[in-house]
Amino acid sequence: MAEQQPVQSSNTTATPPPCTPLEQQVLDEYALLLNNLNNLSAQLNALADRPTGEVLDGLRMLERKTSLVLTLLKASVYSIVLQQQIYGGEEDA
């Protein structure tokens, strides 16, 4: 029977080669993404632990606020368009 010799790795203590600036930027973006995903996971876990009624009440309040902002935005746009028509009509006269 042939004897098996242990395989020695010459790369066990070697440090990895330095990264290029682009590689470092990609690694930094991955680290930021990991942090954001961890934060999202923690928030989803906290949300899952809350009672459903409390979550629904919060969503209803958010929906009301969103609709109010939409109404105010529409009114502002209408006001701007109306002013432009008034000023445009004065310049033509």
Side-chain angles (χ1 to χ4, degrees), residues 29-64:
E29 288 297 322
Y30 274 121
L32 181 62
L33 177 62
L34 175 65
N35 188 29
N36 288 340
L37 289 174
N38 286 336
N39 288 339
L40 178 63
S41 176
Q43 289 178 2
L44 288 175
N45 284 334
L47 188 61
D49 292 339
R50 292 173 58 192
T52 305
E54 187 178 331
V55 172
L56 289 176
D57 289 342
L59 289 174
R60 282 187 197 107
M61 182 177 292
L62 179 63
E63 183 181 19
R64 282 194 296 267

Side-chain angles (χ1 to χ4, degrees), residues 19-92:
C19 297
T20 66
L22 179 60
E23 291 172 333
Q24 186 60 48
Q25 186 178 3
V26 169
L27 291 174
D28 292 342
E29 288 297 322
Y30 274 121
L32 181 62
L33 177 62
L34 175 65
N35 188 29
N36 288 340
L37 289 174
N38 286 336
N39 288 339
L40 178 63
S41 176
Q43 289 178 2
L44 288 175
N45 284 334
L47 188 61
D49 292 339
R50 292 173 58 192
T52 305
E54 187 178 331
V55 172
L56 289 176
D57 289 342
L59 289 174
R60 282 187 197 107
M61 182 177 292
L62 179 63
E63 183 181 19
R64 282 194 296 267
K65 288 179 180 179
T66 304
S67 64
L68 176 63
V69 168
L70 179 61
T71 302
L72 292 174
L73 179 66
K74 286 180 180 180
S76 296
V77 169
Y78 178 74
S79 174
I80 291 170
V81 169
L82 189 60
Q83 285 178 353
Q84 287 178 346
Q85 288 177 352
I86 290 171
Y87 292 135
E90 289 177 358
E91 290 174 1
D92 293 340

